[in-house]
Amino acid sequence: MKLNGNFAKLKESYLFAEVASRAAAFAAKYPEAEIIKLGIGDVTLPICKAAVEAGKRAAEEMGNAETFRGYGPYEGYDFLREKIVEYYARRNVKLDLSEVFVSEGAKSDVSGILDLFDENAKVLVPDPVYPVYVDSNVMDGREIVYVGGNEKNGFLPLPSKDTRADIIYLCSPNNPTGAAYDRARLKAWVDKANELEAVILFDAAYEFFISDDNLPHSIYEIEGAEKCAVEICSLSKTAGFTGVRLGYMIIPKAIEGGKLNAMWLRRQSTKYNGASYIIQRMAEAVFTDEGMKQIKANVDAYKKNAALMSDTLKKLGIWHTGGINSPYIWLKCPGGDSWAFFDKLLNEAQIVGTPGAGFGLNGEGYFRLTAFNTFENTSKAMERLKKLKM
């Protein structure tokens, strides 16, 4: 049996699986402990009413012969794609319907699109970074180069004159650091990608959390991005779809004369049968005025949690970024060792976070907390943090 030897190059355990394993071991040893989870970025608030009602109606349709639907379009139903086009138009980004592809989530897209690129393509990844960017390329055997984020550059690294890559991953607002690129910095990456004839895979999964009106929500707000950038989005965090799964990807026809767009459709028609009709109807409802109002209320609740965490860290004199335009807080570990800080938080305060070391070499010494819990639990966690001896 000839197996993919690249899997041997992966770390033994996926970061979030290791976090969950350690938390579970602690819970088994101390079953009476009240553990507050601020680690894995899973939502806690329910899906908005508009989407739930749309899902009910769609489920009823599937139970009647007259309205039953089987396999849907590989690129997604037009009723949803049209809503996505309208959503972008609100920020003066003009898309053609054929440039929008619906999927089951951003995680699948950021790895699945690698099917379109040569295995010898050089990949540039910011560090620290969402582990999927790295692991999915390791599985394919590609060369990976890193550009370092740090306190000095606000964890928003920029290209240099020596930067060379064929595929460039960017995430803004960033996971794990919560830092967000402004227009000038994002323009630097777009210009570099066009200079290199490279493609940017732009993860915009958290764009709905941006509070600063001066920050771009989409890379297509930057001149020239339509020639080099693929944008990947998700309703997981914005609309609470982590348990039902719905994402979408934008592949402009200006890239390679439409070749990349056509290749992705060909790939999807071979490897994918489309997102559920019911869930696409739920997503359509999210993009209505009422749906937008309802999901904003949920996102505002998470932002309130993030603000509370940020205020607490400021009072404790702990350096951090994120929180303002993101559901993530990225803090500097007292003591410097991120896994040691994880164990300290878990054992002494029963708080679960995510060690920065799991996000790359530049993540060591830092720690990620998420705002995806209730305000009550977040408040409890911050009170415990205040009492912790650093």
Side-chain angles (χ1 to χ4, degrees):
M1 185 179 294
K2 295 182 178 180
L3 302 178
N4 184 347
N6 292 315
F7 273 70
K9 301 173 185 177
L10 295 169
K11 293 181 180 179
E12 185 175 346
S13 176
Y14 183 54
L15 169 62
F16 300 111
E18 177 64 20
V19 168
S21 175
R22 293 196 185 196
F26 180 86
K29 187 175 181 179
Y30 304 101
E32 73 287 353
E34 181 189 9
I35 299 174
I36 299 176
K37 296 182 179 180
L38 303 177
I40 296 175
D42 197 0
V43 293
T44 53
L45 294 173
I47 293 172
C48 69
K49 185 176 180 180
V52 171
E53 292 303 317
K56 290 178 181 178
R57 291 191 297 270
E60 288 291 338
E61 288 180 41
M62 297 297 277
N64 291 289
E66 295 80 8
T67 51
F68 171 79
R69 297 176 186 239
Y71 291 123
Y74 298 118
E75 60 270 57
Y77 284 101
D78 284 357
F79 61 75
L80 175 55
R81 295 161 74 215
E82 288 168 356
K83 287 291 185 184
I84 294 170
V85 169
E86 292 172 6
Y87 180 68
Y88 274 84
R90 298 178 189 182
R91 299 202 169 273
N92 298 315
V93 174
K94 185 178 181 180
L95 298 177
D96 187 82
L97 197 67
S98 63
E99 297 174 321
V100 180
F101 296 87
V102 176
S103 71
E104 79 274 19
K107 187 174 184 178
S108 300
D109 283 344
V110 296
S111 56
I113 196 170
L114 295 175
D115 285 353
L116 310 191
F117 301 104
D118 190 276
E119 64 182 14
N120 294 315
K122 180 182 289 188
V123 180
L124 184 147
V125 175
D127 180 355
V129 70
Y130 181 44
V132 172
Y133 304 163
V134 174
D135 289 356
S136 55
N137 280 286
V138 170
M139 290 174 185
D140 287 347
R142 290 189 183 86
E143 177 187 359
I144 302 173
V145 296
Y146 296 90
V147 56
N150 50 53
E151 286 184 52
K152 187 176 180 180
N153 60 30
F155 285 95
L156 293 169
L158 293 173
S160 70
K161 63 179 181 179
D162 298 321
T163 297
R164 295 290 181 272
D166 303 298
I167 301 169
I168 299 169
Y169 278 94
L170 294 177
C171 179
S172 182
N174 182 269
N175 178 13
T177 69
Y181 280 102
D182 60 21
R183 296 177 189 279
R185 289 172 175 168
L186 203 51
K187 183 69 164 63
W189 278 111
V190 169
D191 288 347
K192 175 58 71 170
N194 281 321
E195 174 194 327
L196 298 174
E197 297 184 352
V199 64
I200 294 174
L201 302 182
F202 188 73
D203 187 344
Y206 305 97
E207 61 86 14
F208 204 79
F209 286 84
I210 294 175
S211 299
D212 187 342
D213 292 335
N214 295 314
L215 296 178
H217 286 244
S218 167
I219 197 170
Y220 303 122
E221 296 177 49
I222 307 302
E223 183 183 2
E226 73 283 354
K227 299 176 183 178
C228 65
V230 170
E231 186 159 287
I232 300 163
C233 302
S234 169
L235 294 187
S236 287
K237 308 299 168 38
T238 57
F241 274 39
T242 54
V244 296
R245 312 301 301 139
L246 197 290
Y248 51 95
M249 183 157 61
I250 312 300
I251 307 181
K253 287 191 171 180
I255 301 176
E256 288 289 301
K259 187 175 182 180
L260 199 68
N261 182 290
M263 287 174 67
W264 181 249
L265 179 57
R266 181 66 180 86
R267 186 265 188 196
Q268 292 295 80
S269 64
T270 299
K271 290 192 171 186
Y272 186 59
N273 268 331
S276 158
Y277 169 72
I278 296 172
I279 295 171
Q280 290 193 58
R281 281 296 187 191
M282 294 174 69
E284 178 192 23
V286 167
F287 287 102
T288 63
D289 289 342
E290 185 59 31
M292 287 281 112
K293 179 181 177 181
Q294 291 172 5
I295 68 168
K296 184 180 183 301
N298 282 5
V299 167
D300 285 347
Y302 295 134
K303 285 183 177 181
K304 184 179 179 182
N305 292 344
L308 174 62
M309 289 190 286
S310 180
D311 288 344
T312 301
L313 293 171
K314 288 176 183 176
K315 291 175 183 177
L316 293 173
I318 297 175
W319 183 94
H320 65 284
T321 186
I324 298 174
N325 299 296
S326 165
Y328 297 121
I329 295 286
W330 182 250
L331 63 95
K332 192 169 185 177
C333 296
D337 185 316
S338 59
W339 275 109
F341 188 64
F342 173 90
D343 290 334
K344 182 178 182 67
L345 274 185
L346 179 59
N347 287 283
E348 298 181 23
Q350 288 76 64
I351 299 171
V352 174
T354 310
F359 295 102
L361 291 176
N362 282 20
E364 180 54 273
Y366 297 88
F367 202 79
R368 192 190 78 171
L369 296 175
T370 81
F372 295 118
N373 209 310
T374 65
F375 185 73
E376 179 184 7
N377 282 342
T378 304
S379 299
K380 286 181 181 178
M382 294 303 99
E383 289 303 313
R384 294 178 188 179
L385 192 62
K386 291 175 184 177
K387 297 174 183 177
L388 195 64
K389 294 181 180 180
M390 302 294 187

